[in-house]
PDB file of all heavy atoms in Angstrom:
ATOM      1  N   GLN A 242     -18.872 106.585  84.636  1.00  0.00           N
ATOM      2  CA  GLN A 242     -19.591 107.786  85.076  1.00  0.00           C
ATOM      3  C   GLN A 242     -20.522 107.434  86.212  1.00  0.00           C
ATOM      4  O   GLN A 242     -21.268 106.465  86.153  1.00  0.00           O
ATOM      5  CB  GLN A 242     -20.398 108.348  83.905  1.00  0.00           C
ATOM      6  CG  GLN A 242     -21.158 109.623  84.276  1.00  0.00           C
ATOM      7  CD  GLN A 242     -21.900 110.172  83.087  1.00  0.00           C
ATOM      8  OE1 GLN A 242     -21.773 109.639  81.986  1.00  0.00           O
ATOM      9  NE2 GLN A 242     -22.657 111.199  83.290  1.00  0.00           N
ATOM     10  N   GLN A 243     -20.446 108.215  87.278  1.00  0.00           N
ATOM     11  CA  GLN A 243     -21.248 107.932  88.458  1.00  0.00           C
ATOM     12  C   GLN A 243     -22.650 108.481  88.293  1.00  0.00           C
ATOM     13  O   GLN A 243     -22.860 109.537  87.728  1.00  0.00           O
ATOM     14  CB  GLN A 243     -20.596 108.553  89.704  1.00  0.00           C
ATOM     15  CG  GLN A 243     -19.224 107.971  90.020  1.00  0.00           C
ATOM     16  CD  GLN A 243     -19.322 106.509  90.397  1.00  0.00           C
ATOM     17  OE1 GLN A 243     -20.202 106.124  91.154  1.00  0.00           O
ATOM     18  NE2 GLN A 243     -18.435 105.702  89.856  1.00  0.00           N
ATOM     19  N   THR A 244     -23.609 107.742  88.788  1.00  0.00           N
ATOM     20  CA  THR A 244     -24.977 108.218  88.821  1.00  0.00           C
ATOM     21  C   THR A 244     -25.396 108.415  90.260  1.00  0.00           C
ATOM     22  O   THR A 244     -24.797 107.859  91.183  1.00  0.00           O
ATOM     23  CB  THR A 244     -25.928 107.216  88.137  1.00  0.00           C
ATOM     24  OG1 THR A 244     -25.758 105.946  88.766  1.00  0.00           O
ATOM     25  CG2 THR A 244     -25.617 107.105  86.656  1.00  0.00           C
ATOM     26  N   LYS A 245     -26.438 109.181  90.441  1.00  0.00           N
ATOM     27  CA  LYS A 245     -26.866 109.546  91.792  1.00  0.00           C
ATOM     28  C   LYS A 245     -27.555 108.380  92.465  1.00  0.00           C
ATOM     29  O   LYS A 245     -28.400 107.720  91.888  1.00  0.00           O
ATOM     30  CB  LYS A 245     -27.827 110.744  91.712  1.00  0.00           C
ATOM     31  CG  LYS A 245     -28.259 111.267  93.080  1.00  0.00           C
ATOM     32  CD  LYS A 245     -29.173 112.460  92.905  1.00  0.00           C
ATOM     33  CE  LYS A 245     -29.621 112.995  94.256  1.00  0.00           C
ATOM     34  NZ  LYS A 245     -30.529 114.134  94.120  1.00  0.00           N
ATOM     35  N   GLU A 246     -27.178 108.136  93.709  1.00  0.00           N
ATOM     36  CA  GLU A 246     -27.786 107.063  94.451  1.00  0.00           C
ATOM     37  C   GLU A 246     -29.142 107.490  94.974  1.00  0.00           C
ATOM     38  O   GLU A 246     -29.343 108.601  95.436  1.00  0.00           O
ATOM     39  CB  GLU A 246     -26.912 106.636  95.629  1.00  0.00           C
ATOM     40  CG  GLU A 246     -25.655 105.892  95.221  1.00  0.00           C
ATOM     41  CD  GLU A 246     -25.000 105.243  96.412  1.00  0.00           C
ATOM     42  OE1 GLU A 246     -25.689 104.995  97.407  1.00  0.00           O
ATOM     43  OE2 GLU A 246     -23.796 104.997  96.345  1.00  0.00           O
ATOM     44  N   ALA A 247     -30.125 106.554  94.894  1.00  0.00           N
ATOM     45  CA  ALA A 247     -31.425 106.827  95.469  1.00  0.00           C
ATOM     46  C   ALA A 247     -31.353 106.723  96.979  1.00  0.00           C
ATOM     47  O   ALA A 247     -30.658 105.876  97.527  1.00  0.00           O
ATOM     48  CB  ALA A 247     -32.455 105.832  94.942  1.00  0.00           C
ATOM     49  N   PRO A 248     -32.056 107.577  97.632  1.00  0.00           N
ATOM     50  CA  PRO A 248     -32.087 107.446  99.074  1.00  0.00           C
ATOM     51  C   PRO A 248     -32.661 106.116  99.495  1.00  0.00           C
ATOM     52  O   PRO A 248     -33.613 105.635  98.904  1.00  0.00           O
ATOM     53  CB  PRO A 248     -33.004 108.591  99.520  1.00  0.00           C
ATOM     54  CG  PRO A 248     -33.249 109.403  98.319  1.00  0.00           C
ATOM     55  CD  PRO A 248     -32.834 108.644  97.121  1.00  0.00           C
ATOM     56  N   LYS A 262     -27.240  97.851  93.428  1.00  0.00           N
ATOM     57  CA  LYS A 262     -27.423  99.052  94.230  1.00  0.00           C
ATOM     58  C   LYS A 262     -28.555  99.885  93.631  1.00  0.00           C
ATOM     59  O   LYS A 262     -28.621 100.063  92.426  1.00  0.00           O
ATOM     60  CB  LYS A 262     -26.137  99.865  94.241  1.00  0.00           C
ATOM     61  CG  LYS A 262     -26.172 101.082  95.149  1.00  0.00           C
ATOM     62  CD  LYS A 262     -24.952 101.947  94.927  1.00  0.00           C
ATOM     63  CE  LYS A 262     -23.682 101.182  95.180  1.00  0.00           C
ATOM     64  NZ  LYS A 262     -22.509 102.074  95.040  1.00  0.00           N
ATOM     65  N   PRO A 263     -29.489 100.410  94.449  1.00  0.00           N
ATOM     66  CA  PRO A 263     -30.556 101.245  93.905  1.00  0.00           C
ATOM     67  C   PRO A 263     -29.999 102.513  93.292  1.00  0.00           C
ATOM     68  O   PRO A 263     -29.210 103.211  93.909  1.00  0.00           O
ATOM     69  CB  PRO A 263     -31.438 101.544  95.129  1.00  0.00           C
ATOM     70  CG  PRO A 263     -30.537 101.330  96.296  1.00  0.00           C
ATOM     71  CD  PRO A 263     -29.570 100.259  95.902  1.00  0.00           C
ATOM     72  N   MET A 264     -30.404 102.816  92.045  1.00  0.00           N
ATOM     73  CA  MET A 264     -29.891 103.973  91.334  1.00  0.00           C
ATOM     74  C   MET A 264     -31.052 104.757  90.747  1.00  0.00           C
ATOM     75  O   MET A 264     -32.112 104.218  90.476  1.00  0.00           O
ATOM     76  CB  MET A 264     -28.955 103.548  90.188  1.00  0.00           C
ATOM     77  CG  MET A 264     -27.831 102.605  90.600  1.00  0.00           C
ATOM     78  SD  MET A 264     -26.588 103.396  91.612  1.00  0.00           S
ATOM     79  CE  MET A 264     -25.839 104.456  90.401  1.00  0.00           C
ATOM     80  N   ILE A 265     -30.838 106.058  90.514  1.00  0.00           N
ATOM     81  CA  ILE A 265     -31.798 106.865  89.793  1.00  0.00           C
ATOM     82  C   ILE A 265     -31.043 107.704  88.789  1.00  0.00           C
ATOM     83  O   ILE A 265     -29.839 107.848  88.860  1.00  0.00           O
ATOM     84  CB  ILE A 265     -32.629 107.773  90.732  1.00  0.00           C
ATOM     85  CG1 ILE A 265     -31.700 108.734  91.486  1.00  0.00           C
ATOM     86  CG2 ILE A 265     -33.456 106.967  91.703  1.00  0.00           C
ATOM     87  CD1 ILE A 265     -32.451 109.759  92.298  1.00  0.00           C
ATOM     88  N   GLY A 266     -31.763 108.265  87.824  1.00  0.00           N
ATOM     89  CA  GLY A 266     -31.115 109.107  86.830  1.00  0.00           C
ATOM     90  C   GLY A 266     -31.305 108.541  85.441  1.00  0.00           C
ATOM     91  O   GLY A 266     -31.983 107.544  85.221  1.00  0.00           O
ATOM     92  N   SER A 267     -30.665 109.175  84.460  1.00  0.00           N
ATOM     93  CA  SER A 267     -30.818 108.758  83.082  1.00  0.00           C
ATOM     94  C   SER A 267     -30.007 107.515  82.765  1.00  0.00           C
ATOM     95  O   SER A 267     -30.294 106.794  81.833  1.00  0.00           O
ATOM     96  CB  SER A 267     -30.394 109.891  82.144  1.00  0.00           C
ATOM     97  OG  SER A 267     -29.050 110.254  82.396  1.00  0.00           O
ATOM     98  N   LEU A 268     -28.960 107.228  83.565  1.00  0.00           N
ATOM     99  CA  LEU A 268     -28.121 106.061  83.354  1.00  0.00           C
ATOM    100  C   LEU A 268     -28.375 105.067  84.472  1.00  0.00           C
ATOM    101  O   LEU A 268     -28.414 105.415  85.640  1.00  0.00           O
ATOM    102  CB  LEU A 268     -26.629 106.453  83.350  1.00  0.00           C
ATOM    103  CG  LEU A 268     -26.197 107.399  82.230  1.00  0.00           C
ATOM    104  CD1 LEU A 268     -24.712 107.733  82.397  1.00  0.00           C
ATOM    105  CD2 LEU A 268     -26.434 106.768  80.868  1.00  0.00           C
ATOM    106  N   GLN A 272     -24.279  98.454  89.530  1.00  0.00           N
ATOM    107  CA  GLN A 272     -23.285  98.604  90.577  1.00  0.00           C
ATOM    108  C   GLN A 272     -23.677  97.718  91.740  1.00  0.00           C
ATOM    109  O   GLN A 272     -24.852  97.518  92.015  1.00  0.00           O
ATOM    110  CB  GLN A 272     -23.173 100.064  91.023  1.00  0.00           C
ATOM    111  CG  GLN A 272     -22.724 101.000  89.913  1.00  0.00           C
ATOM    112  CD  GLN A 272     -22.400 102.380  90.456  1.00  0.00           C
ATOM    113  OE1 GLN A 272     -22.317 102.577  91.655  1.00  0.00           O
ATOM    114  NE2 GLN A 272     -22.207 103.322  89.560  1.00  0.00           N
TER     115      GLN A 272
END
Side-chain angles (χ1 to χ4, degrees):
Q242 181 178 356
Q243 297 295 316
T244 55
K245 184 179 180 181
E246 289 192 23
K262 185 189 301 184
M264 307 290 290
I265 61 173
S267 59
L268 297 178
Q272 298 190 11

